């Protein structure tokens, strides 16, 4: 894409901002008429809807960020208190977890005593078992298909579980699996008693949720419009007691709409501001907060029969045809151009031989070897989102890639869907009718732990419906490396195996590896106390908002 094209993108973004001004006047009429307390933080999310409120959230990682670790807790969570180092797992509802050295499939979780749900009922081992049943046991009275769709694929290692006593849970894995703690960190615990009190209806629970988290949702919930969270004054962790009076979540999927909402004072904070607005926002006195975090932006390629991506030469050619530095310019410098599936400098990066440089001539040469080129192009369809968690600027970015791939003989058609629909397509797999014949899906991956980063989308037996290996990739050599990761409980030795995994990812160009986000947020300088952790999730408890 030429420099002129880049300027056109920016001009179009400016025009969109002007066009959305009148829309904002309508969309926020009710909000503007309300007098918010000085301690109220209003956030414009990239999601098109309020994330599922019943426990296991939808809307990807953004759902977990705003409606997961706010209202709920997991047994294990992330340390979100530091900006200068990567997050690590820490105790939450479980005070400790250990694996039996004599039987490395058997894990013991000691639970925090004295914790209560928002409805006043007691958290204990039975509640943990009940929550696992709601995701994994289709014949359980509390089984919820919507939550299961979000949570089941997160914990494929789990074979069985039981309460040993009120403060002890045993989980047995299908085979030794050192990644279990990371998997468990995704599972959020909702109140069994509240489900009973709401007539055993998850739809009613959605309006009146009850977790153990630092925030409550007691009123002010309107799907697709807003959710209001207030502090849990009885929260069990005094260090995470919210300082705000209220946290208000507003879905604003269009980036220029978010920017206009911030400028007009309708919100105090927006996720992922439009890159062409960053300088003017800074000039207007808004703060732009960024940090490296474990995230990538890829095309997940289909490996089903007939997919053009089964040819490694085509996969490598596509990776060589993407001008990542030009794309970074389009994004206003708010990205880290990919050198691999993991970001440069990552402890699992290793030393791959294939270099993700911008080399159109080499790309054309590889395409010619595969029997293709500008005169004999491949035509393929890619599922993309219009916005969403970690998606950055998906429409602009994908149009950029569409133009660069066309130069080497890959003609791309897009199937545009909202982010939640894309997630459902991703879970269903490339063979499912919902993919509409697409041979790739544009997905942004949370790459903070071994399972979520590398295993779940590439292990043979985790193809749908057993997991999220969307493209049905299967390589016994890769599976052997994954098995070694799971059975290596020493962290330093496990890192060495993960380096081999990543080298294989890059050398075989298993994904179209494009960029890494820096998680930009724009906010008024009245927002105080926010620490942007190197994590997809964030802690809102220490934040205050000046009058």
């Amino acid at each position: 894409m030429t420099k002129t094209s880049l300027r056109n993108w920016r001009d179009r973004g400016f025009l969109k901002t002007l066009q959305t001004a009148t829309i904002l006047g309508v969309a926020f009429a009710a909000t503007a008429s309300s007098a918010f307390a000085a301690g109220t933080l209003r956030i414009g999310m990239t999601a098109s809807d309020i994330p599922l409120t019943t426990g296991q959230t939808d809307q990807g990682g953004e759902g977990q960020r705003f409606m997961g670790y706010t209202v709920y807790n997991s047994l294990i969570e992330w340390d979100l208190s530091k900006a200068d180092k990567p997050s690590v797992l820490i105790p939450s509802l479980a005070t400790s977890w250990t694996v039996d050295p004599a039987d490395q499939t058997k894990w013991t979780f000691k639970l925090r005593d004295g914790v209560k749900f928002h409805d006043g009922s007691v958290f204990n081992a039975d509640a943990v078992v009940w929550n696992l049943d709601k995701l994994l046991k289709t014949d359980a009275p509390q089984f919820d298909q919507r939550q299961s769709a979000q949570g089941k694929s997160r914990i494929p290692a789990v074979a069985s579980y039981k309460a040993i006593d009120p403060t002890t849970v045993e989980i047995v894995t299908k085979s030794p699996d050192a990644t279990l703690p990371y998997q468990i960190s995704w599972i959020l615990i909702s109140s069994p008693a509240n489900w009973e009190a709401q007539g055993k209806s998850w739809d009613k629970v959605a309006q009146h949720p009850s977790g153990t988290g630092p925030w409550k949702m007691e009123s002010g919930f309107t799907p697709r419009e807003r959710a209001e969270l207030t502090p849990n004054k009885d929260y069990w962790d005094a260090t995470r007691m919210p300082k705000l009076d209220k946290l208000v979540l507003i879905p604003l999927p269009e980036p220029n709409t978010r920017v206009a909402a911030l400028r007009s004072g309708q919100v105090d904070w927006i996720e992922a501001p439009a890159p062409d607005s960053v300088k003017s926002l800074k000039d207007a006195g808004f703060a732009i907060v960024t940090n490296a975090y474990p995230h990538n932006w890829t095309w997940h390629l289909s490996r089903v029969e007939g997919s053009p991506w089964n040819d490694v030469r085509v996969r490598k050619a596509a990776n060589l045809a993407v001008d990542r530095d030009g794309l970074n310019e389009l994004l206003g410098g708010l990205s880290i151009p990919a050198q691999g599936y993991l970001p440069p400098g990552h402890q699992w990066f290793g030393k791959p031989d294939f270099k993700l440089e911008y080399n159109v001539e080499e790309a054309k040469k590889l395409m010619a070897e595969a029997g293709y080129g500008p005169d004999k192009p491949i035509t393929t369809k890619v599922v993309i989102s219009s916005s969403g968690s970690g998606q950055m600027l998906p429409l602009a970015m994908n149009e950029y890639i569409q133009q660069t791939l066309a130069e080497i003989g890959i003609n791309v058609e897009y199937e545009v869907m909202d982010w939640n629909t894309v997630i459902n397509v991703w879970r269903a797999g490339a063979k499912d009718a919902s993919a509409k014949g697409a041979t790739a899906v544009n997905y942004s991956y949370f790459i903070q732990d071994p399972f979520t980063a590398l295993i779940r989308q590439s292990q043979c037996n985790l193809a749908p419906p057993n997991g999220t290996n969307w493209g049905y990739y299967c390589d016994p050599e890769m599976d052997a490396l994954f098995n070694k990761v799971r059975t290596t409980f020493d962290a330093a030795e496990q890192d060495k195996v993960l380096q081999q995994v990543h080298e294989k990812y890059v050398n075989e160009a298993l994904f179209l590896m494009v960029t890494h986000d820096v998680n930009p947020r724009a906010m008024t300088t009245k927002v105080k106390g926010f620490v942007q952790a190197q994590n997809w999730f964030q802690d809102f408890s220490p934040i205050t908002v000046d009058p």
Side-chain angles (χ1 to χ4, degrees):
M1 187 179 285
T2 65
K3 302 290 183 182
T4 301
S5 299
L6 288 173
R7 285 194 295 272
N8 288 341
W9 272 114
R10 294 193 179 97
D11 292 341
R12 284 204 265 169
F14 176 72
L15 289 173
K16 284 183 179 179
T17 301
L18 294 177
Q19 291 164 357
T20 56
T22 54
I23 297 173
L24 277 169
V26 177
F28 287 96
T31 303
S33 65
S34 302
F36 285 98
T40 293
L41 175 64
R42 300 160 298 169
I43 296 180
M45 304 186 298
T46 69
S48 60
D49 197 1
I50 299 299
L52 189 62
T53 60
T54 46
Q56 290 304 130
T57 62
D58 58 4
Q59 300 291 344
E62 188 172 35
Q64 189 94 341
R65 180 190 309 143
F66 287 117
M67 196 57 72
Y69 290 140
T70 48
V71 177
Y72 299 94
N73 289 119
S74 182
L75 299 185
I76 304 169
E77 294 181 17
W78 295 93
D79 181 0
L80 304 175
S81 65
K82 302 175 182 65
D84 58 352
K85 60 181 66 176
S87 300
V88 296
L89 291 178
I90 58 173
S92 184
L93 292 178
T95 58
S96 67
W97 53 95
T98 55
V99 64
D100 186 343
D103 180 359
Q104 292 183 327
T105 67
K106 187 180 294 184
W107 293 75
T108 299
F109 291 79
K110 297 300 294 184
L111 306 183
R112 196 173 298 278
D113 197 15
V115 174
K116 291 186 177 181
F117 290 99
H118 298 157
D119 60 284
S121 60
V122 175
F123 164 76
N124 56 25
D126 287 339
V128 175
V129 171
W130 187 92
N131 274 270
L132 290 170
D133 282 349
K134 83 176 179 185
L135 304 178
L136 301 177
K137 288 194 174 182
T138 56
D139 59 349
Q142 71 272 28
F143 177 78
D144 182 25
Q145 183 58 51
R146 289 189 70 185
Q147 291 188 75
S148 179
Q150 310 304 323
K152 182 179 179 180
S153 66
R154 300 289 188 185
I155 48 173
V158 174
S160 64
Y161 42 88
K162 63 182 179 181
I164 302 299
D165 59 46
T167 59
T168 309
V169 170
E170 178 185 278
I171 296 180
V172 177
T173 57
K174 296 168 185 174
S175 59
D177 196 334
T179 72
L180 180 68
Y182 297 107
Q183 297 180 36
I184 291 296
S185 72
W186 284 94
I187 306 305
L188 299 166
I189 306 299
S190 52
S191 167
N194 184 55
W195 178 76
E196 296 273 355
Q198 302 302 327
K200 300 182 179 181
S201 165
W202 285 112
D203 288 339
K204 291 182 179 178
V205 171
Q207 292 288 332
H208 305 282
S210 178
T212 61
W215 300 88
K216 296 181 177 182
M217 193 190 83
E218 297 175 300
S219 62
F221 170 51
T222 305
R224 294 194 177 274
E225 291 185 17
R226 64 191 293 107
E228 296 183 3
L229 307 182
T230 55
N232 173 15
K233 299 297 186 183
D234 299 316
Y235 189 51
W236 54 267
D237 184 355
T239 66
R240 284 194 64 205
M241 187 70 69
K243 295 181 179 179
L244 290 166
D245 297 320
K246 190 180 293 184
L247 176 63
V248 181
L249 308 175
I250 302 172
L252 294 174
E254 208 282 315
N256 292 296
T257 303
R258 290 194 296 277
V259 171
L262 182 65
R263 289 186 187 278
S264 63
Q266 307 295 346
V267 297
D268 311 292
W269 160 323
I270 59 172
E271 301 282 287
D276 57 7
S277 70
V278 168
K279 183 180 185 301
S280 63
L281 285 172
K282 287 181 178 178
D283 291 343
F286 293 99
I288 305 296
V289 184
T290 64
N291 203 352
Y293 79 122
H295 163 275
N296 66 18
W297 195 95
T298 71
W299 281 7
H300 191 150
L301 307 176
S302 170
R303 303 299 293 276
V304 302
E305 185 177 355
S307 170
W309 307 112
N310 285 322
D311 192 322
V312 67
R313 295 168 297 187
V314 174
R315 299 198 303 272
K316 286 187 172 182
N319 272 283
L320 292 172
V322 175
D323 181 2
R324 294 169 180 83
D325 290 331
L327 192 59
N328 186 48
E329 185 180 346
L330 168 66
L331 294 168
L334 298 177
S335 73
I336 300 172
Q339 296 179 23
Y341 183 82
L342 298 172
H346 195 283
Q347 68 267 30
W348 305 334
F349 195 89
K351 297 179 180 179
D353 297 321
F354 180 55
K355 306 300 180 185
L356 299 187
E357 59 187 356
Y358 180 45
N359 190 332
V360 173
E361 291 309 311
E362 181 62 23
K364 287 181 176 179
K365 179 181 176 183
L366 286 167
M367 289 291 287
E369 290 177 5
Y372 303 103
D375 297 329
K376 187 182 177 183
I378 293 170
T379 298
T380 188
K381 183 188 291 185
V382 182
V383 171
I384 68 173
S385 70
S386 52
S387 66
S389 173
Q391 285 286 281
M392 304 172 75
L393 293 180
L395 298 179
M397 294 167 72
N398 276 301
E399 186 169 339
Y400 190 101
I401 292 172
Q402 183 183 50
Q403 293 185 28
T404 60
L405 293 188
E407 294 181 37
I408 65 167
I410 300 178
N411 292 340
V412 179
E413 299 173 359
Y414 288 126
E415 190 72 40
V416 184
M417 307 175 182
D418 70 75
W419 178 230
N420 229 29
T421 302
V422 172
I423 294 172
N424 292 335
V425 170
W426 168 70
R427 288 200 174 96
K431 295 179 181 179
D432 192 78
S434 64
K436 298 185 178 182
T439 65
V441 58
N442 172 211
Y443 213 80
S444 49
Y445 279 109
F446 177 93
I447 50 174
Q448 188 150 303
D449 66 78
F451 175 73
T452 306
L454 299 162
I455 297 174
R456 66 171 174 156
Q457 52 264 25
S458 299
Q459 183 166 299
C460 293
N461 65 3
L462 292 182
N466 299 317
T468 53
N469 179 352
W470 181 83
Y472 294 82
Y473 165 80
C474 185
D475 182 339
E477 182 180 308
M478 184 72 89
D479 269 17
L481 288 172
F482 290 154
N483 289 337
K484 195 171 181 181
V485 169
R486 286 192 170 97
T487 55
T488 303
F489 288 80
D490 178 83
E493 291 303 311
Q494 189 184 71
D495 283 351
K496 294 177 182 178
V497 183
L498 288 163
Q499 289 172 6
Q500 296 177 55
V501 171
H502 185 251
E503 287 168 358
K504 189 172 177 66
Y505 258 66
V506 178
N507 289 338
E508 298 181 14
L510 298 183
F511 289 67
L512 183 65
M513 298 163 276
V514 181
T515 194
H516 304 281
D517 196 3
V518 293
N519 215 10
R521 296 179 166 95
M523 59 191 71
T524 172
T525 53
K526 292 181 179 180
V527 177
K528 307 292 185 183
F530 175 53
V531 176
Q532 181 146 316
Q534 293 184 28
N535 197 293
W536 203 302
F537 312 125
Q538 301 295 327
D539 185 6
F540 304 99
S541 293
I543 297 172
T544 60
V545 177
D546 289 345

